[in-house]
Each structure stands twice: as structure tokens, then as C-alpha cells.
Amino acid sequence: MNEAEVRQFWQAHPCGDNLLSRADFAALEEFFSEYDRFKYDLEPHIPACLDQLGLDGQKILEVGLGQGAESEQIVRRGGVWTGLDLTDEAVARVKARLDLRGLGYDAVVRGSITEAPFADNSFDMVFSHGVLHHVPKIEKAQQEIHRILKPGGRLVVMLYAKYSLNYLAAIAIVRRLGLLAMAATGAKGQGIYAQHLENARKMGLFKYLKLQNFIHANTDGPLNPYSKVYSRNLVEKDFPDFAITRTYKRFMHAPPLPVRWMPFEDQLGWHLWVEMVAK
């Protein structure tokens, strides 16, 4: 897996377009407003998580921008914000969002966190929500994050959780059994189901069903080229230049299982929030 494939996917499928498509709205402002309403109805924990970080006056780099929802939240909380994304599409959308709403920021830059285009000791915090688990060269990325952070600077990330209901039940069991049943019965499927069947045909069904392969196509759509799931121990392994200060989980999410009502978010949530400090 290489970064060019990752960039190509996210350029063609901007993060969040699966929730609400820009193509469905004539006005960009209307799209951003409706997107934020939809996103924070689905993930209402995010603003509260940001409130805990003490963003006011902090010089912050956000890695991976999507539609800029968290970017706006950081700026509105007083963060001195810079954005970095692999894709021209995300850079253009986030610039448009912040400019439309008259929100100040330092810069929005297209580039890779594995070769971060910033000077040493530039930021108080690096923040990344749902992005670094899509970076194949994560050890290089964390080295660059360490370099551009000021001494003792903070790294705050959301990573997909290995010990979650989504990974352990929905992905590892339910979806694999469902695909196996579809293949065995000759079902054609539609939409993402048809794409999974096509993926399995190209790779070979049982090779595709191996979790180390299946995971990539089961976090952000069946065409997503790379994803990783994390435990605290794996975070420590992949981010050796940082010391973990806090971890917690949010977001009960395990489609097709209807689990949002379940009370075990702290144990089985899909979003693993990790707060770290540069060693």
C-alpha cells in the first residue's frame, strides 16, 4: 500500500460524503450547515471531547480535514489553526467553509504528514480525528509530528478501536458471514454489497475474508485502500516518540447491528481517543 493510492481514494471520496453529498446542495453554506447538523446528531460526543482540550490560544495543526467540521469547532474555541490534508478537494472545501463564515486561520495546506511542510517546533498541538489510521507509514508520520511539535507538545488523535463492538462483532463476524452467505447463494447484491462481492471475486473470497484484508474495505467503504484498528498497546508501539496521558472510547457504532442505544460506549465504542505528549 502506498500513499498515492490513499490520496486518490480520498480525493474521489471526500470524508463525510457518505453521510451527506455536496452534490445534493446548490449552495455551499447550506451544505455545510446541514452536514454539521447531521454529523453531530450522529456523533454528538465530539464537541464535548474538544471542550476538554483547552484549545484557546493554542497553535494547532489539524491533520486530515474532511469537510472541516472539527476545523471550525477548533477555531471557534480559540485555537490558532492550521490545516493539512493530502487532497486538493479537502483543502478547497475547508478554505471555503472558513472563509464563508468569516473565521480566521493561519493556513490550509495540501501535503503529507509523512513529510510535513512545517518547521521544527511549530505547534503546541497536533490534532487528528479519524485520519492517522489511514496512513500506511505511521512510524514516519509520528516522527514528523514529534518534529513539528514544540517540546512537550500534545498529540490528540481519534483512531478506530480494535476492542470495539464494530470490529469484534460487526466486521469480524457479521459482515464476513453475510458476504460468505451471499457468495454461497449466488446473490448479486446492490451498492456496497455488490462492491464487496466484486472485491472478493478479484482477490479470491477466502483471501478477502481474512481480517487483515477485510478491515480495509469495512471502515470507510468497500473501495477504501487502507485502514488499521488500534488498541492502547498498538498506539504505544506505533507512536514511540510519545507518552500516552489518556485514552477513552466513544461512539457505539457497529452496522448492520442496531447498537446506538447500548450503554457500553466506554468499553466497546468504535472511536478510541488518545491524548499524548511528546517525549
Side-chain angles (χ1 to χ4, degrees):
M1 178 52 54
N2 61 66
E3 193 173 84
E5 292 177 73
V6 174
R7 179 188 297 115
Q8 183 179 21
F9 171 78
W10 291 109
Q11 176 71 19
H13 305 87
C15 185
D17 266 19
N18 60 314
L19 302 178
L20 207 66
S21 174
R22 168 69 183 94
D24 293 336
F25 293 84
L28 196 55
E29 172 60 34
E30 181 188 3
F31 166 70
F32 287 137
S33 295
E34 187 62 18
Y35 177 83
D36 289 359
R37 185 197 65 77
F38 190 94
K39 177 182 175 68
Y40 293 130
D41 280 350
L42 181 66
E43 301 172 314
H45 58 279
I46 293 177
C49 292
L50 294 174
D51 285 338
Q52 300 175 37
L53 297 177
L55 302 175
D56 191 24
Q58 295 285 291
K59 194 171 174 62
I60 298 165
L61 173 67
E62 183 180 2
V63 177
L65 306 179
Q67 308 288 350
E70 277 70 68
S71 311
E72 179 173 334
Q73 295 291 321
I74 291 169
V75 173
R76 290 190 181 279
R77 285 163 174 76
V80 182
W81 179 90
T82 296
L84 176 68
D85 198 279
L86 270 179
T87 70
D88 294 313
E89 184 66 25
V91 166
R93 290 193 188 197
V94 177
K95 278 185 177 179
R97 170 193 279 265
L98 298 177
D99 291 342
L100 273 169
R101 294 180 171 179
L103 296 171
Y105 57 92
D106 277 359
V108 189
V109 180
R110 195 194 73 75
S112 171
I113 192 57
T114 62
E115 296 179 0
F118 306 104
D120 296 359
N121 307 323
S122 292
F123 299 98
D124 300 303
M125 178 190 294
V126 171
F127 172 80
S128 187
H129 186 274
V131 175
L132 294 185
H133 47 229
H134 295 303
V135 178
K137 295 181 179 179
I138 191 61
E139 290 83 359
K140 175 62 174 171
Q142 69 90 37
Q143 289 172 1
E144 283 289 273
I145 293 171
H146 188 274
R147 178 184 65 78
I148 64 178
L149 277 171
K150 297 174 183 178
R154 292 184 290 165
L155 170 59
V156 179
V157 298
M158 185 282 281
L159 303 166
Y160 292 146
K162 181 176 182 179
Y163 297 112
S164 63
L165 200 61
N166 194 35
Y167 182 71
L168 296 175
I171 294 173
I173 299 173
V174 175
R175 296 187 207 172
R176 289 201 294 170
L177 287 176
L179 184 61
L180 189 62
M182 290 179 70
T185 60
K188 301 299 183 184
Q190 295 181 347
I192 62 171
Y193 302 103
Q195 186 60 57
H196 279 296
L197 286 168
E198 177 63 12
N199 292 353
R201 185 191 66 78
K202 289 179 179 178
M203 185 179 291
L205 177 62
F206 292 104
K207 184 177 180 181
Y208 184 63
L209 288 172
K210 289 183 178 179
L211 269 178
Q212 64 263 38
N213 298 322
F214 199 62
I215 183 61
H216 304 310
N218 278 272
T219 59
D220 292 82
L223 295 175
N224 176 48
Y226 182 83
S227 287
K228 193 169 184 176
V229 290
Y230 277 89
S231 63
R232 181 182 175 118
N233 287 342
L234 188 52
V235 175
E236 291 175 343
K237 177 178 179 294
D238 277 3
F239 294 80
D241 292 338
F242 292 86
I244 296 174
T245 57
R246 184 188 182 200
T247 66
Y248 60 97
K249 293 176 186 173
R250 293 292 182 267
F251 193 35
M252 286 300 289
H253 173 79
L257 304 175
V259 301
R260 288 194 67 187
W261 59 272
M262 294 182 68
F264 305 115
E265 183 179 65
D266 289 344
Q267 293 77 38
L268 293 171
W270 177 227
H271 288 180
L272 175 64
W273 283 68
V274 186
E275 299 176 16
M276 296 175 260
V277 62
K279 293 179 180 177

